[in-house]
Amino acid sequence: MTTRTGSNIVSLSEWQTCQIEGMALGPEDGALLKSLTGGTDTRLGLDELRAGLRITSRSWVGVVRFKDFELRIVPKLAGGDIGLLRMVDFATGLDAVDRHPAVHTFAAEGASLLDLITLLLTEACERIIRAGMLADYQELEDDLPVVRGRLLVREQVLRRMGRVDRVVCRYDEHTTDTIDNRLLLAALSVAGSRVTHPDVALRVRRLHGVLADACSVDDLDLRMARSTLTYNRLNEHYQEAHQLAWLVLEGLGIEDLYAGGSHRTFAFLLDMNRLFEDFVTRWLAALLRGTHYRSIAQRRDRTILWNADLNRPYAKVIPDLVVERKDKPGRFLPLDAKYKLYEERRISPADIYQTFMYAYAYGQTHAVLPSAVIIYPAQTDTAQVQRLHVRRADGLPSAQIVGIGIDVLAALDEAFAMQPGNIGSRLLQQIGTALD
């Protein structure tokens, strides 16, 4: 699917190549193009031709705004931007899309993915402001005209010897300039200059003014905030807004709020591989609830790849998921989620080799035929199954790889219903066959 909306918006699906006639890149697009195509994690392929541009999308979806046109990569396999938001909703536990019907209206009006996520962010921020922003006591040190808190005698002698017009004090200040509010202001700051829907832009400006009066993003370290921010009964109502703020900030690749560069060109892209893996992880955990099995996400194992000469681990093995029988500890089935078009083409040799290693390593102790599963998106409402045997030289199989294609939209409906339908039941059947 490739469409031209108006004179400067190009829309295509993930995993698609198209040629756009009459389009060219300007000098301002160089840095943006380098960030998208350089390094080991290429998010977009783009070649300049004599008559235009050839664009190749991958598993990243969202908005890329060049100087003279805007590229929108729409997740076809996930059901468009609304389907993607529902996947984010379930994977993160937000449950925000159905509570905010305006998202559907704005999507019908042509809003981009960034507009829609920012709309949800403004809704969450407005609820927090109506309820009252969180304030906390912070310990400050400053030169004051009168004593407040505790007088710092040593600092007074060193910095203001013989002067009494200012005294160095350490005191507690009750302030709304907290990390919880600063994170929201940071997300609104970077989204405000990039959203295009006029109603969303207006709401962002209003909220930005309110939050800017309450806090500041000066010296805000986003990496530190990401690793240290925790929740308790005082700030747990911020979690939804923070989840959406991180979507905006990480989708834009913002690490330094004051980094140079024009806001006229930018990329807001989400990795469907990561999102699909997160969705499958939470959905499978819900499917296995109340059964004989449990799922373990990102199980790190240093005992599989071994340096025999040095007698120590060589590297970690980390399958996306491992399903274990509760009544028989150590009986595992490894699963990997791959957001690739395996419904239309063969499973890649690289994924086969990786999955075979998982099957052989985790299944040798208990299975007649060690197995592993690859879960990938499909466009039919029944789980498609393809089986691959890894055969020995004598023709006998030594391991089995089971590829299961799931209709993402149907799986989302089952996930939100919190009960297995056709797709979930067949997935459970495959797990039971491998582990029983």
Side-chain angles (χ1 to χ4, degrees):
M1 176 188 73
T2 307
T3 60
R4 293 281 292 271
T5 306
S7 59
N8 65 342
I9 297 180
V10 177
S11 178
L12 69 158
S13 303
E14 72 272 57
W15 299 113
Q16 182 184 5
T17 297
C18 66
Q19 187 166 322
I20 309 297
E21 303 291 341
M23 286 288 186
L25 297 181
E28 296 180 23
D29 299 324
L32 175 60
L33 182 61
K34 183 178 180 180
S35 70
L36 295 172
T37 60
T40 58
D41 190 13
T42 300
R43 292 179 285 172
L44 182 72
L46 197 152
D47 299 307
E48 297 183 79
L49 309 175
R50 287 185 179 181
L53 301 172
R54 181 170 59 238
I55 303 173
T56 302
S57 60
R58 290 182 167 80
S59 65
W60 295 78
V61 301
V63 183
V64 182
R65 187 175 300 162
F66 295 96
K67 178 178 178 295
D68 295 324
F69 71 99
E70 180 175 293
L71 174 66
R72 296 184 180 181
I73 306 172
V74 182
K76 178 182 177 182
L77 295 176
D81 289 341
I82 294 297
L84 182 144
L85 287 181
R86 294 188 71 217
M87 187 183 292
V88 171
D89 244 13
F90 185 81
T92 61
L94 285 175
D95 193 24
V97 174
D98 290 339
R99 289 191 284 107
H100 302 295
V103 172
H104 299 271
T105 302
F106 281 43
E109 295 173 356
S112 70
L113 179 61
L114 177 58
D115 292 332
L116 297 176
I117 292 178
T118 304
L119 173 62
L120 292 175
L121 173 61
T122 61
E123 298 268 6
C125 289
E126 286 168 354
R127 285 198 306 276
I128 288 173
I129 291 172
R130 285 196 297 267
M133 283 185 285
L134 183 68
D136 199 1
Y137 285 97
Q138 293 185 7
E139 188 177 70
L140 303 177
E141 184 178 316
D142 200 0
D143 296 349
L144 303 175
V146 295
V147 175
R148 180 179 178 186
R150 183 160 63 94
L151 174 65
L152 303 181
V153 178
R154 182 175 182 275
E155 285 74 11
Q156 181 72 24
V157 172
L158 293 175
R159 290 155 51 181
R160 293 190 168 273
M161 181 66 176
R163 299 181 59 181
V164 294
D165 58 324
R166 308 283 292 187
V167 288
V168 183
C169 300
R170 181 175 294 151
Y171 59 96
D172 290 333
E173 178 77 17
H174 195 246
T175 176
T176 54
D177 192 16
T178 65
I179 185 62
D180 300 277
N181 296 321
R182 298 176 80 196
L183 177 58
L184 300 183
L185 178 60
L188 292 172
S189 297
V190 297
S193 59
R194 293 167 171 87
V195 294
T196 56
H197 195 285
D199 291 345
V200 178
L202 178 60
R203 293 174 74 169
V204 170
R205 286 195 296 271
R206 289 174 176 170
L207 286 167
H208 185 275
V210 174
L211 281 162
D213 288 338
C215 60
S216 168
V217 293
D218 293 346
D219 302 321
L220 174 61
D221 187 334
L222 290 172
R223 288 187 176 182
M224 181 65 70
R226 188 59 154 152
S227 61
T228 61
L229 187 59
T230 58
Y231 296 94
N232 52 48
R233 63 180 182 81
L234 297 177
N235 69 343
E236 61 185 6
H237 60 293
Y238 274 75
Q239 287 194 63
E240 178 180 327
H242 285 171
Q243 288 272 19
L244 293 164
W246 286 123
L247 276 177
V248 171
L249 292 166
E250 293 176 347
L252 288 167
I254 300 296
E255 293 184 352
D256 181 358
L257 291 176
Y258 304 104
S262 170
H263 291 172
R264 296 180 60 186
T265 63
F266 71 89
F268 174 77
L269 294 171
L270 302 181
D271 185 1
M272 289 301 298
N273 268 317
R274 176 180 170 184
L275 180 57
F276 184 65
E277 177 188 328
D278 290 345
F279 165 71
V280 170
T281 297
R282 188 162 186 255
W283 181 45
L284 187 60
L287 287 174
L288 296 179
R289 197 170 295 126
T291 70
H292 296 298
Y293 314 102
R294 68 185 182 105
S295 62
I296 308 169
Q298 297 288 316
R299 184 181 189 272
R300 289 166 168 78
D301 198 322
R302 296 179 59 85
T303 66
I304 292 175
L305 289 179
W306 196 260
N307 188 321
D309 294 325
L310 300 177
N311 193 32
R312 67 184 187 189
Y314 182 77
K316 290 183 291 188
V317 171
I318 312 174
D320 293 341
L321 284 164
V322 172
V323 176
E324 181 182 29
R325 280 198 59 158
K326 295 178 183 177
D327 57 339
K328 296 181 179 179
R331 181 169 289 194
F332 296 118
L333 174 68
L335 299 93
D336 253 17
K338 303 291 185 184
Y339 193 81
K340 298 181 180 179
L341 301 180
Y342 286 154
E343 184 183 27
E344 303 174 3
R345 62 171 184 254
R346 292 183 175 183
I347 298 174
S348 73
D351 287 339
I352 290 175
Y353 302 151
Q354 179 189 46
T355 312
F356 165 70
M357 181 182 69
Y358 294 158
Y360 193 80
Y362 285 98
Q364 281 294 302
T365 60
H366 63 82
V368 175
L369 186 60
S371 299
V373 173
I374 296 176
I375 301 176
Y376 57 87
Q379 299 183 67
T380 57
D381 58 0
T382 57
Q384 300 183 359
V385 178
Q386 50 179 317
R387 301 179 187 278
L388 302 177
H389 282 177
V390 181
R391 302 174 69 181
R392 302 194 301 259
D394 60 7
L396 296 177
S398 60
Q400 175 178 249
I401 298 170
V402 181
I404 302 177
I406 62 170
D407 183 326
V408 176
L409 293 180
L412 276 169
D413 289 339
E414 292 185 17
F416 279 107
M418 299 304 290
Q419 58 183 6
N422 290 334
I423 298 176
S425 297
R426 294 190 182 189
L427 183 56
L428 290 175
Q429 182 180 8
Q430 294 296 328
I431 291 172
T433 300
L435 288 177
D436 290 343

